[in-house]
Amino acid sequence: MPPASNFFSSFKFKITALVIGLVLFAGIGAGGISLLIAESELRLVIARQELSLLTGAAAFIDNDLQNKRQLLKLLTEEFTERGQPLDRIQHQLETHDTLRDTFFNVNAFDLSGNLVASLRDRQAKRINIAERQYFRDTLRLQEGVLSAPFKSTLSGQPVVVITQPLRDADGKIVGILLGAIDLLRPSFSAQLDSLRAGADGYLFIVTDAGVIVHHPDKSRILEKGDDTPGTLLEAALRKPEGWEDGMLDDGIPVLLVHKHLRESDWTIGLSYPVRSAFASMLHVRLRALLGAALLTAVAGLFGWAVTKNMLRPLRRLHRHVEDISAGRADISVFDVARKDEFGHLSRAFYGLSQRRELAELELHRLATTDVLTGLNNRRMFDAFLPQALARAARSGQPLGLAILDIDHFKSINDTLGHAAGDQVLVEFARRLTGAVRSTDTVARLAGDEFVIVFEQQSSNAEMDVLGKKILDTMHPPFHLGAQQREVRTSIGIAVTTNTSATAEEVMRAADQALYGVKAAGRNGYAINPVGAERVVRVR
């Protein structure tokens, strides 16, 4: 009996060990497969979030390029309407202050490719660009183009140029106007870098030919990237948009997200280290595997049930993502206090969504704020004025609109330089903001032209008080470095007298009032009711 008993005990032990091993293997296997499926879904959600963020950045660049094209086109149309000779365009360029804020430089060339005007330097060395591809393309297509990036002969900086043909009064092309964008200038590169502030990874931009336009390593700009099969650059240029994980960037596994721009042959990409992109998912993997191993030691079926139960919060997380995408919830549903896997993932998504929301707000701020003064810009004002008029019509209260010019601002630029002119604009904006009420809205339209929208007026008499207050605010001398300069302003104020006034009518009335102040000797204000035949009073 003892040998049989020993054999039975040994057999029982082996069967028990085998069963336990099979149960453990089955449980871990089932849990692992479920976890792999969940990880695949999570990777897709995270990649789509980053692609959505990148799409917003691409739209910002597209809008910026489109605005620059439109500004050059308006300038060429003005040249055609004036019917002036090509050698007079230097004066026209210097009278448009917005060009200095928008472009690094603006040049004009005749049909032989010879330089005839330069915004930044009247004495710029005479160069010829007849052999440049963008010059030949503009003449061949008879329309503006965006050049490939290159090193500027005039400045030595990496630039791209936007061109527009110059036509005489008969519509015949007589020259080429081009605006240069400095790829190292903060207005271009710093705005892109700010979108990834505080986060791992970096943004880059390449042309369809593989030439680098933007990169955190500025020495790589204008380089031809490695676009051989299997490289990061080749994957970014393979299709218009998408994402791939597991790519290598200088030996580091990264998540690559890319989007082709609408207005150019550029592709904007994001290289995001996989370790950072999927950090929360790696933590979940470890916790889930340990939990599955412990639970499946009791029973495979129980382990499978527990695994399914663990996946339930992930399905809930997926529903939250769908609700946010459909507009049924906001990102606050991700901000939970749970300390389990669902809590870790949900808070990770909350942080990712917050970054996206902040980036969208930053893009909106950049699009509606004047870079130099920090005031609202023309785009913001054009959208705001009709809304303010509608509010005034509903409340029955009058609305005031003031247009302000800095008196003799051109002489400040000519005598003291554009740096001093910028100081005057910044200080003028600061004083102007401090002189008005909290309910008033201040914006810079262009150059030295500012506007104020006065809402919630109790009577038209308030305009006299506000006009005098602004003049008094500008009375103390402006400190420009080691010297002081008296700066005065002319103010044209329009006041609505009925509820049907349009934005165009209010602007026209304010312009008439401003002309009245200038005709009376400047340094004052004039008030003009909308619809009046002439200015009511000038102070």
Side-chain angles (χ1 to χ4, degrees):
M1 275 307 289
S5 177
N6 291 340
F7 172 79
F8 180 77
S9 298
S10 176
F11 180 76
K12 183 179 178 181
F13 173 78
K14 291 179 180 179
I15 291 296
T16 303
L18 179 61
V19 170
I20 293 176
L22 289 173
V23 168
L24 185 63
F25 178 81
I28 294 178
I33 292 172
S34 300
L35 188 60
L36 287 175
I37 295 173
E39 284 187 4
S40 177
E41 290 295 324
L42 286 173
R43 284 175 181 267
L44 182 60
V45 171
I46 293 172
R48 284 176 175 171
Q49 288 273 0
E50 293 294 341
L51 181 58
S52 177
L53 179 63
L54 198 66
T55 299
F60 169 74
I61 298 172
D62 277 327
N63 289 336
D64 188 56
L65 291 175
Q66 189 176 28
N67 291 338
K68 286 177 168 59
R69 290 180 193 271
Q70 189 62 27
L71 179 58
L72 283 186
K73 190 173 182 180
L74 291 174
L75 194 63
T76 58
E77 290 173 354
E78 181 181 335
F79 174 84
T80 302
E81 290 174 0
R82 292 182 177 180
Q84 62 187 13
L86 190 60
D87 57 8
R88 293 291 306 280
I89 197 172
Q90 178 72 39
H91 175 72
Q92 183 183 353
L93 295 180
E94 293 175 347
T95 58
H96 284 266
D97 290 327
T98 54
L99 293 177
R100 298 181 184 275
D101 296 335
T102 307
F103 294 99
F104 173 66
N105 198 5
V106 179
N107 301 312
F109 295 85
D110 61 22
L111 293 181
S112 298
N114 295 315
L115 178 69
V116 296
S118 176
L119 175 63
R120 292 285 176 183
D121 185 7
R122 280 175 168 260
Q123 307 301 322
K125 63 181 180 180
R126 299 297 147 176
I127 62 171
N128 186 284
I129 63 167
E131 297 303 317
R132 295 279 191 181
Q133 188 63 43
Y134 60 82
F135 180 83
R136 291 184 290 181
D137 288 346
T138 304
L139 293 180
R140 177 174 56 84
L141 300 174
Q142 297 192 9
E143 63 181 18
V145 301
L146 177 69
S147 77
F150 64 96
K151 186 174 183 180
S152 170
T153 304
L154 290 175
S155 66
Q157 297 289 88
V159 299
V160 294
V161 298
I162 300 174
T163 70
Q164 283 293 338
L166 289 165
R167 303 176 186 271
D168 60 17
D170 297 327
K172 182 181 177 182
I173 295 179
V174 296
I176 302 294
L177 186 69
L178 59 88
I181 304 172
D182 185 353
L183 300 180
L184 297 180
R185 200 178 189 189
S187 61
F188 178 82
S189 61
Q191 290 179 359
L192 290 175
D193 292 337
S194 68
L195 298 179
R196 295 296 298 175
D200 290 339
Y202 64 89
L203 294 174
F204 64 91
I205 299 177
V206 294
T207 68
D208 288 350
V211 178
I212 298 175
V213 176
H214 174 75
H215 195 279
D217 182 2
K218 305 307 179 187
S219 65
R220 297 187 61 180
I221 295 177
L222 299 187
E223 282 185 2
K224 177 70 165 63
D226 181 11
D227 57 357
T228 56
T231 61
L232 194 73
L233 186 58
E234 183 271 336
L237 298 177
R238 191 184 304 149
K239 52 186 179 180
E241 68 174 54
W243 64 275
E244 291 186 38
D245 61 344
M247 301 295 299
L248 292 180
D249 187 0
D250 289 336
I252 300 174
V254 297
L255 168 67
L256 168 67
V257 186
H258 57 91
K259 172 79 175 178
H260 197 277
L261 271 64
R262 185 184 68 253
E263 292 291 326
S264 66
D265 66 338
W266 296 356
T267 293
I268 182 171
L270 167 65
S271 176
Y272 196 3
V274 169
R275 190 177 186 85
S276 299
F278 304 127
S280 59
M281 193 169 63
L282 295 175
H283 180 71
V284 171
R285 179 191 298 169
L286 179 60
R287 292 282 300 275
L289 287 175
L290 289 175
L294 292 174
L295 292 172
T296 53
V298 178
L301 183 60
F302 182 71
W304 171 247
V306 170
T307 303
K308 287 182 65 177
N309 187 57
M310 291 176 63
L311 293 178
R312 193 173 302 153
L314 300 181
R315 289 195 294 272
R316 190 182 312 158
L317 184 63
H318 186 263
R319 286 197 299 272
H320 286 339
V321 173
E322 290 181 338
D323 288 343
I324 291 174
S325 299
R328 296 188 295 268
D330 57 30
I331 64 172
S332 61
V333 297
F334 287 143
D335 191 15
V336 298
R338 294 175 58 161
K339 298 184 181 300
D340 58 4
E341 293 83 357
F342 173 69
H344 286 300
L345 279 174
S346 189
R347 287 190 293 275
F349 274 110
Y350 180 66
L352 184 63
S353 299
Q354 276 190 317
R355 285 204 349 257
R356 176 186 173 184
E357 193 172 80
L358 291 173
E360 289 175 348
L361 291 173
E362 179 66 9
L363 288 172
H364 177 74
R365 186 191 68 79
L366 292 173
T368 57
T369 303
D370 178 60
V371 176
L372 179 63
T373 63
L375 299 177
N376 298 314
N377 62 11
R378 175 145 208 152
R379 178 183 295 178
M380 181 67 174
F381 170 74
D382 288 342
F384 177 80
L385 180 57
Q387 298 171 0
L389 287 171
R391 287 193 294 271
R394 288 193 297 269
S395 65
Q397 294 179 314
L399 178 141
L401 173 69
I403 300 180
L404 305 88
D405 277 354
I406 299 176
D407 294 340
H408 309 296
F409 181 71
K410 187 176 185 303
S411 70
I412 295 175
N413 272 338
D414 292 343
T415 57
L416 302 180
H418 289 282
D422 288 348
Q423 286 183 268
V424 170
L425 291 172
V426 172
E427 175 63 13
F428 187 86
R430 186 190 68 79
R431 295 190 186 187
L432 193 60
T433 304
V436 300
R437 305 167 305 174
S438 61
T439 56
D440 302 330
T441 302
V442 184
R444 179 190 176 205
L445 299 187
D448 65 322
E449 187 177 11
F450 296 77
V451 292
I452 310 172
V453 180
F454 301 101
E455 296 189 77
Q456 302 179 15
Q457 298 183 70
S458 58
S459 68
N460 290 342
E462 286 188 50
M463 291 295 92
D464 285 293
V465 176
L466 292 168
K468 185 175 185 304
K469 184 177 180 182
I470 294 171
L471 292 177
D472 291 342
T473 301
M474 302 304 168
H475 186 73
F478 282 48
H479 296 276
L480 307 177
Q483 58 181 311
Q484 295 183 343
R485 176 80 178 229
E486 290 189 352
V487 177
R488 300 291 180 258
T489 182
S490 299
I491 312 170
I493 305 174
V495 182
T496 60
T497 56
N498 57 68
T499 60
S500 61
T502 65
E504 291 76 13
E505 291 170 342
V506 177
M507 287 291 291
R508 184 163 54 249
D511 275 330
Q512 291 173 349
L514 181 60
Y515 294 149
V517 176
K518 292 183 177 180
R522 303 177 186 267
N523 189 25
Y525 67 91
I527 299 177
N528 186 22
V530 177
E533 296 295 329
R534 61 187 179 84
V535 177
V536 173
R537 57 188 181 276
V538 178
R539 297 287 185 269

